[in-house]
Amino acid sequence: ISPAQVVDGVRGAEKQICDDVIGAFRKVHPHARQILGFAIPNLPFRFSESVMRKTFNQHVKRVAAGLDFYEVKRMLVEMGVVGRVIGETGQYIEGQFEYTIPHVLHLGASDEMCLHPAFVEIFNARKPTGPTSRTVYPFGTDVDGEDVREF
């Protein structure tokens, strides 16, 4: 299987992946799809808490079903939609997502955040532009990388 075939296969499955994640959390986060529909198109691939808060106040709050900013942030992290920026290469922003670690991912106010690539196309995220624009690569998904899970 070539790398291009893998990329095409993942792109073709993104909607199903997103639907499966949202479905898995529907009992805990029944308004997730609506919140994602208003949050993701207004967030860049990489952002600060202040950008996320502004997006919440301007676009998400009215559809958040009474959830406050921190509850929405926690929901996005728990679902694996938002992660922490942990590195950068010439081609990628490396993001750490809660589903790849054996504990809760706590994001502080000074942490840089990023969007998981599976959600950016489906929910029309703002595409990065310019010579320094990069796509997010989830840490722990490289087949040749270190397995950080504990069994």
Side-chain angles (χ1 to χ4, degrees), residues 45-48 82-89 92-97 105 107 110-115 136-137 139:
F45 285 14
R46 178 185 203 154
F47 52 94
S48 65
V82 169
R84 173 188 292 129
V85 173
I86 59 169
E88 189 172 341
T89 69
Y92 296 107
I93 299 164
E94 191 171 29
Q96 181 180 45
F97 295 87
L105 178 62
L107 295 176
S110 62
D111 285 321
E112 259 195 303
M113 293 178 261
C114 56
L115 291 175
V136 175
Y137 191 90
F139 175 76

Side-chain angles (χ1 to χ4, degrees), residues 70-149:
Y70 294 104
E71 291 167 321
V72 169
K73 179 181 172 184
R74 180 71 227 136
M75 177 193 80
L76 296 175
V77 172
E78 183 178 308
M79 291 179 68
V81 176
V82 169
R84 173 188 292 129
V85 173
I86 59 169
E88 189 172 341
T89 69
Q91 189 173 2
Y92 296 107
I93 299 164
E94 191 171 29
Q96 181 180 45
F97 295 87
E98 188 167 297
Y99 66 87
T100 62
I101 58 177
H103 53 79
V104 173
L105 178 62
H106 294 285
L107 295 176
S110 62
D111 285 321
E112 259 195 303
M113 293 178 261
C114 56
L115 291 175
H116 193 284
F119 291 88
V120 299
E121 286 295 323
I122 302 304
F123 288 96
N124 301 311
R126 292 190 334 206
K127 304 286 188 284
T129 58
T132 60
S133 64
R134 291 173 179 83
T135 300
V136 175
Y137 191 90
F139 175 76
T141 59
D142 187 346
V143 294
D144 295 325
E146 177 185 356
D147 189 352
V148 296
R149 299 170 295 171

Side-chain angles (χ1 to χ4, degrees), residues 43-76:
L43 288 169
F45 285 14
R46 178 185 203 154
F47 52 94
S48 65
E49 183 167 299
S50 64
V51 169
M52 186 179 205
R53 185 179 294 279
K54 181 178 178 182
T55 299
F56 174 81
N57 289 332
Q58 292 180 351
H59 304 283
V60 177
K61 192 174 189 175
R62 65 177 181 247
V63 299
L67 299 175
D68 68 21
F69 169 76
Y70 294 104
E71 291 167 321
V72 169
K73 179 181 172 184
R74 180 71 227 136
M75 177 193 80
L76 296 175

